[in-house]
Amino acid sequence: MSAVQTTSPVRQDDTRRRSPAAEVLSSLMRSGTFLTGLAIVLFWVACALFGEHFAPYDPLADDIINALSPPSAEHWFGTDQIGRDVFSRVIVGSRDILTVAPLATLLATIAGTALGLLTGYFRGVVDDVVSRILEAFMAIPVVIVALLAIVALGTSKTTVIIVIGLSFAPIIARTVRSAVLAERELDYVAAAQLRHESAFHTMFVEILPNVIPPILVETTVRLGYAIFAVATLSFMGFGIQPPSPDWGLSISSNYGMIGGGFWWTVLFDALAIASLVIGVNLAADGVHGAFND
């Protein structure tokens, strides 16, 4: 008798490798840090989009009779110096900062990526000249840039977006440049050059997809800084203007009341800024960890 040999089919799912994007996504979904940060950010995004529908009061409506009322069942976070409900203002106040900061970060990412590709690919004189200009620009504080921009363009959300975006672009450019310098020496770039591909095609079609991970990490990190920068400029009077319930602007309008014991006029706006920055930073840490697993 001959023995019957049985073989088990090899499961293709065990041998098939997942794509890098799927691996990163899977890592993010397993990251408690990323998911916690994402939950915080999504909460404030929901407030920015739909806050007016569940805020108990009009955030711009004053009520002098109930001015500076402490937190209570009627006004959960109390009222400010002209009787506006602080809880409603905190909820709706997320809208401006979550509009300006992401747009400024997007501008910084686009400009910084283009400059990083340019300096990293061409090197030589182009790298030296552009890098020296970027370093000089980075040495100027954001507040000074804001003052100059406001004199030239006037105070507006657009001005804040441009100021913060151009201030952060050199930092992103430096990160992208480092990644491009490493990629430029690889075989696929040499192959593109042998095919006589244009410099534009080589930079944006061949190299750019391979430096996306550090760009995404840098973008999430800069978003946290942008949120803080928007709040700071609003606090100093250079950013979002009244009657917006913007958090930084609300703190600027009411911080003088702390000495009189009216702490609630500032505390909850400050906690909102802190929670959003913490949420973005947690998400950024998760993204960084996912790309470095």
Side-chain angles (χ1 to χ4, degrees):
M1 294 178 61
S2 61
V4 178
Q5 184 177 1
T6 60
T7 59
S8 60
V10 178
R11 291 186 300 173
Q12 293 183 354
D13 291 343
D14 292 338
T15 59
R16 184 184 303 163
R17 297 184 62 185
R18 291 184 297 179
S19 67
E23 292 180 356
V24 169
L25 181 59
S26 177
S27 180
L28 289 175
M29 293 300 100
R30 296 194 307 268
S31 172
T33 300
F34 173 78
L35 293 176
T36 300
L38 181 64
I40 296 172
V41 173
L42 289 179
F43 168 78
W44 286 118
V45 169
C47 290
L49 294 174
F50 311 109
E52 291 180 347
H53 296 288
F54 55 83
Y57 299 93
D58 183 346
L60 302 180
D62 57 70
D63 182 6
I64 301 299
I65 297 177
N66 291 313
L68 297 175
S69 297
S72 63
E74 184 177 1
H75 296 284
W76 292 356
F77 291 176
T79 61
D80 65 9
Q81 56 187 323
I82 59 175
R84 295 174 298 194
D85 182 63
V86 175
F87 176 76
S88 298
R89 290 180 64 78
V90 169
I91 293 298
V92 179
S94 60
R95 178 171 303 165
D96 285 328
I97 202 167
L98 281 174
T99 300
V100 175
L103 288 176
T105 304
L106 178 62
L107 173 61
T109 301
I110 294 173
T113 299
L115 290 171
L117 286 167
L118 182 70
T119 56
Y121 181 77
F122 286 106
R123 298 185 295 186
V125 176
V126 174
D127 186 17
D128 291 338
V129 172
V130 176
S131 294
R132 297 299 83 77
I133 294 173
L134 294 179
E135 289 172 2
F137 197 79
M138 288 171 61
I140 305 175
V142 175
V143 174
I144 302 300
V145 176
L147 285 172
L148 296 174
I150 287 170
V151 171
L153 304 175
T155 302
S156 67
K157 293 180 182 178
T158 301
T159 302
V160 176
I161 292 170
I162 294 173
V163 167
I164 296 176
L166 295 182
S167 298
F168 289 166
I171 303 174
I172 297 176
R174 186 171 57 185
T175 300
V176 176
R177 173 184 174 274
S178 297
V180 172
L181 286 174
E183 292 291 325
R184 194 182 189 281
E185 305 303 322
L186 299 181
D187 292 340
Y188 74 90
V189 175
Q193 293 171 340
L194 289 174
R195 295 194 306 268
H196 301 290
E197 301 286 1
S198 66
F200 180 89
H201 179 276
T202 303
M203 286 188 293
F204 289 92
V205 177
E206 301 289 344
I207 297 178
L208 179 58
N210 293 292
V211 296
I212 289 297
I215 293 174
L216 289 178
V217 171
E218 190 65 39
T219 298
T220 52
V221 171
R222 288 307 127 200
L223 177 58
Y225 282 100
I227 291 169
F228 189 74
V230 172
T232 300
L233 291 175
S234 296
F235 176 81
M236 299 181 69
F238 302 148
I240 299 168
Q241 298 297 303
S244 169
D246 173 73
W247 297 333
L249 184 60
S250 295
I251 293 174
S252 176
S253 301
N254 294 290
Y255 79 97
M257 310 299 296
I258 296 177
F262 305 108
W263 49 268
W264 58 86
T265 59
V266 173
L267 176 64
F268 297 108
D269 290 288
L271 290 177
I273 295 172
S275 67
L276 180 56
V277 172
I278 289 171
V280 171
N281 287 340
L282 288 174
D285 287 344
V287 171
H288 182 269
F291 281 117
N292 286 276
D293 283 345

